[in-house]
Amino acid sequence: MEDIIIIFLLSLLAITAIAIIFMRNMLSVIMLGSIYSLLSAVIFVVLDAVDVAFTEAAVGAGISSVLFLSAFAVTGKRQVLKQKNKLIAFVTVSLTAAALIYATSDMPYVGDPNAPVQTHVAARYIEQSGSEVGIPNMVTAVLASYRGFDTLGEVAVVFTAMIAVLLLLLRREEEELDREK
Amino acid sequence: MLSGLYNYWIAILLMAIGFYIVIAHSNLFTKMIGLNIFQTSVFILFISMGKVDGGTAPILSEAYTAYSNPLPHVLILTAIVVSVATTAVGLALIVSINRRYKTLDEHEIEQQELEQE
């Protein structure tokens, strides 16, 4: 039953993505992008990744869409959506996808409890994190304790991105001031 | 066993669609949406790897003994936040490009550059 739900949701996701290619209207592209994020959040719930699901729903579907819509409002509504070099792009993408699909042929099946990804460090997180860190949510335990430095790096990235955005958006005002002089 | 590798194939299809949009669409804005699709496909690949049959969400409870792998979830949590940060930088770049060239079409931008030289 769960398999059928996952296959149905993944197919919906693929249809949404294909629809984005053929859209001519920028607003519908943005809205379909938002639907795409929300659908992937639902898939994360079915795949047991609840923390990822609510982050994706809040950040991916929420904040991203707000960012896209505000950038769309600033850049103007008369965007022309054109595609060029369709054939070259299609061939490149098909070759890449074919190579990757060939590579999946020796991957362990989804849900296999004996797959290499399940048998190394994950077992320790599941068995020990309750007594070592003392909170029931393993994802939080790994994020904030075992891999705290990763999270510190993430904060550094977000901070750098914020500075970059501010610099890019404020630079224009200086140019305007120069022109007024 | 259709479902055994189905998740991976859809992740690859989505990656291909995102890649195609980045290459073929000439509007910078649509390219950003394509990048987002690409990123989400990687998220689905990782989360699919962490799934364990019969497992539940990785939150300790006395009622369950089998849990899905929490490690991919942590990695993807970090990736989602970073992806929004990079999207914000990309959109800021797009806004300043639009202010300078009055267009977001990469071919028109190229032409304007040639005319200036």
Side-chain angles (χ1 to χ4, degrees):
Chain A
M1 188 61 201
E2 208 175 61
D3 283 352
I4 299 169
I5 296 174
I6 291 180
I7 289 174
F8 174 71
L9 287 171
L10 284 171
S11 310
L12 270 184
L13 199 64
I15 294 168
T16 316
I18 290 168
I20 291 176
I21 298 182
F22 297 106
M23 277 297 147
R24 299 268 154 181
N25 184 328
M26 184 62 83
L27 194 62
S28 22
V29 170
I30 297 171
M31 287 344 279
L32 277 175
S34 183
I35 291 170
Y36 177 88
S37 285
L38 213 55
L39 269 175
S40 59
V42 177
I43 289 171
F44 294 149
V45 173
V46 182
L47 289 173
D48 292 344
V50 282
D51 300 79
V52 180
F54 75 64
T55 312
E56 175 71 26
V59 176
I63 297 181
S64 271
S65 304
V66 170
L67 284 176
F68 272 111
L69 283 174
S70 24
F72 175 60
V74 172
T75 53
K77 278 119 195 133
R78 37 170 183 51
Q79 305 288 351
V80 192
L81 297 190
K82 276 183 284 188
Q83 293 183 42
K84 284 191 177 175
N85 307 326
K86 276 189 196 174
L87 188 68
I88 302 173
F90 186 75
V91 171
T92 318
V93 166
S94 309
L95 285 178
T96 318
L100 286 172
I101 285 186
Y102 173 70
T104 59
S105 59
D106 58 355
M107 274 182 87
Y109 281 170
V110 174
D112 182 2
N114 298 317
V117 66
Q118 320 291 3
T119 51
H120 289 277
V121 69
R124 175 182 167 131
Y125 291 150
I126 292 171
E127 284 156 19
Q128 305 289 329
S129 73
S131 55
E132 282 182 348
V133 184
I135 46 174
N137 190 332
M138 290 171 225
V139 175
T140 314
V142 177
L143 189 77
S145 178
Y146 293 106
R147 289 183 159 260
F149 276 108
D150 279 9
T151 310
L152 187 67
E154 175 194 339
V155 173
V157 170
V158 173
F159 183 67
T160 317
M162 188 193 76
I163 294 175
V165 169
L166 285 179
L167 285 176
L168 279 167
L169 293 179
L170 292 179
R171 199 185 53 162
R172 165 71 178 172
E173 284 170 13
E174 280 173 20
E175 280 173 12
E176 269 176 356
L177 284 177
D178 286 346
R179 259 181 232 161
E180 278 166 16
K181 279 172 194 168
Chain B
M1 270 297 276
L2 175 67
S3 64
L5 294 171
Y6 188 76
N7 290 31
Y8 300 140
W9 293 338
I10 289 284
I12 290 168
L13 174 70
L14 295 174
M15 189 226 78
I17 292 169
F19 195 19
Y20 176 85
I21 293 176
V22 172
I23 299 177
H25 276 263
S26 59
N27 189 298
L28 297 177
F29 214 96
T30 324
K31 278 182 197 281
M32 287 299 300
I33 302 257
L35 269 182
N36 266 0
I37 294 177
F38 199 122
Q39 281 173 327
T40 310
S41 79
V42 178
F43 301 163
I44 289 171
L45 179 77
F46 268 67
I47 298 295
S48 300
M49 284 178 186
K51 170 80 177 152
V52 177
D53 280 339
T56 181
I59 296 171
L60 286 176
S61 158
E62 283 173 6
Y64 297 98
T65 48
Y67 301 101
S68 287
N69 190 342
L71 190 56
H73 302 183
V74 175
L75 298 178
I76 296 311
L77 268 183
T78 310
I80 290 176
V81 175
V82 168
S83 89
V84 170
T86 50
T87 304
V89 176
L91 289 173
L93 275 171
I94 285 178
V95 167
S96 45
I97 286 172
N98 186 63
R99 279 172 180 166
R100 169 130 188 237
Y101 294 98
K102 304 292 171 212
T103 176
L104 283 180
D105 188 286
E106 57 174 1
H107 299 287
E108 285 175 25
I109 292 171
E110 217 169 289
Q111 249 168 7
Q112 286 188 27
E113 280 287 311
L114 289 174
E115 280 163 15
Q116 277 178 6
E117 276 169 12

